[in-house]
Amino acid sequence: MTDPATRRAVLLATATGAAALAVGCGSDGGGGGGDTSTTSGQELARTTDIPVGGGKIFTDEKVVVTQPTKGDFKAFSAICTHQGCTVGTVADGTIDCPCHGSRFRIQNGAVANGPATRPLPPKQITVDGESIRLA
Ligand code: FES
């Protein structure tokens, strides 16, 4: 289920900005650690990367971060609760799954449109200045 190396390989194969990705991510493995004491958590994004009233999907981390209202950031699993596809877009106030059309509200992950019947589970993030990190 969690295989960031594979996802990263796909990204590297498709993105011309691969060097930027490699430079931006300083950790190799150790994804299971929940220790947030001294080393800062993994930065997902800058607050300015997340549009107000929208969001951004991080496929490598399987997380979607939204900003329903200015300065209010939320995070949810990016795995659709219908059949497990990764959600594909954030538009018009919903997080949309490309597989069968389920849509989830950016405010709370609740189902706005089926066939999914369960909300996207929330994820813990911290906002430190302009950095959004996995908690
Ligand atoms: S897996 Fe998302 S709508 Fe079916």
Side-chain angles (χ1 to χ4, degrees):
M1 194 158 80
T2 304
D3 190 0
T6 302
R7 292 287 185 182
R8 187 161 294 129
V10 171
L11 283 173
L12 289 173
T14 56
T16 55
L21 277 177
V23 170
C25 182
S27 67
D28 304 320
D35 183 10
T36 58
S37 53
T38 51
T39 309
S40 56
Q42 182 177 1
E43 184 176 281
L44 275 176
R46 310 294 288 176
T47 54
T48 51
D49 293 338
I50 313 299
V52 176
K56 186 171 180 180
I57 298 162
F58 299 88
T59 54
D60 196 38
E61 304 301 332
K62 299 180 174 59
V63 172
V64 55
V65 177
T66 65
Q67 187 177 187
T69 58
K70 186 171 176 56
D72 181 25
F73 295 91
K74 309 278 187 179
F76 307 97
S77 166
I79 304 303
C80 181
T81 57
H82 177 229
Q83 289 185 359
C85 288
T86 301
V87 296
T89 55
V90 182
D92 298 327
T94 58
I95 302 159
D96 304 341
C97 179
C99 289
H100 311 99
S102 290
R103 295 189 300 169
F104 305 88
R105 299 190 193 287
I106 64 171
Q107 295 90 343
N108 54 17
V111 174
N113 190 62
T117 58
R118 289 169 294 134
L120 293 177
K123 292 281 191 179
Q124 290 296 315
I125 55 171
T126 59
V127 180
D128 179 19
E130 291 189 353
S131 292
I132 298 174
R133 294 186 164 88
L134 288 174

